Amino acid sequence: MRRSGELERAIMDALWEAREPRTAKEVLATLTEEKLAHTTVITVLDRLTRKGLARRERVGRSWRYAPAASRESYVSSLMIDALGRATDREAVLVHFAHSMSGSEADALRSALATTDDADGADEGGQSGEAGQGRHRA
């Protein structure tokens, strides 16, 4: 049997993979790994809506559910939450950087360069230095 968080993730995956909002019955049809009750899926969808991860709209007598944000935005918020729990954020970032592949590190460097360019040189003329040279990802 799946744990609650695993079932929430499977349901969110079903919503992210859909091209349009889905009913609970349509979501249930995609969850083939184990037998689930329709009411269980409805409960989890309602919980995801309350958490702000999904949104719903009434269509006839049914609710149709869609993700409230992209999968990338959601995963990013999980990473930020996890980093917030660290007592030594810099050490966590170093470990994270060392676990990246070359292409992932390149993507992060590019994102940091874009962020640095957007920030300008308001931090004592150090534009572009944050994240460069300190931790080779």
Side-chain angles (χ1 to χ4, degrees), residues 75-127:
V75 172
S76 173
S77 69
L78 290 177
M79 293 168 67
I80 291 166
D81 288 346
L83 185 59
R85 293 187 192 121
T87 54
D88 186 347
R89 293 170 62 116
E90 188 168 326
V92 171
L93 290 170
V94 168
H95 283 282
F96 182 70
H98 286 286
S99 72
M100 299 174 123
S101 70
S103 62
E104 291 167 338
D106 289 344
L108 184 56
R109 280 187 201 96
S110 177
L112 288 170
T114 302
T115 301
D116 290 343
D117 291 345
D119 289 343
D122 354 87
E123 296 179 19
Q126 298 179 2
S127 177

Side-chain angles (χ1 to χ4, degrees), residues 15-94:
L15 295 179
W16 280 314
E17 292 164 8
R19 297 193 187 283
E20 56 189 38
R22 290 182 167 176
T23 65
K25 186 175 182 179
E26 292 167 335
V27 170
L28 179 59
T30 69
L31 304 173
T32 58
E33 290 181 23
E34 64 184 71
K35 185 76 172 154
L36 291 171
H38 182 255
T39 54
T40 300
V41 174
I42 290 172
T43 298
V44 174
L45 284 164
D46 287 341
R47 186 179 314 135
L48 290 167
T49 301
R50 282 194 310 274
K51 289 180 177 182
L53 298 173
R55 58 180 170 76
R56 68 181 182 183
E57 59 185 38
R58 179 70 89 173
V59 177
R61 294 178 47 191
S62 299
W63 289 106
R64 297 189 73 73
Y65 296 85
S70 70
R71 184 187 318 252
E72 295 77 14
S73 175
Y74 170 70
V75 172
S76 173
S77 69
L78 290 177
M79 293 168 67
I80 291 166
D81 288 346
L83 185 59
R85 293 187 192 121
T87 54
D88 186 347
R89 293 170 62 116
E90 188 168 326
V92 171
L93 290 170
V94 168

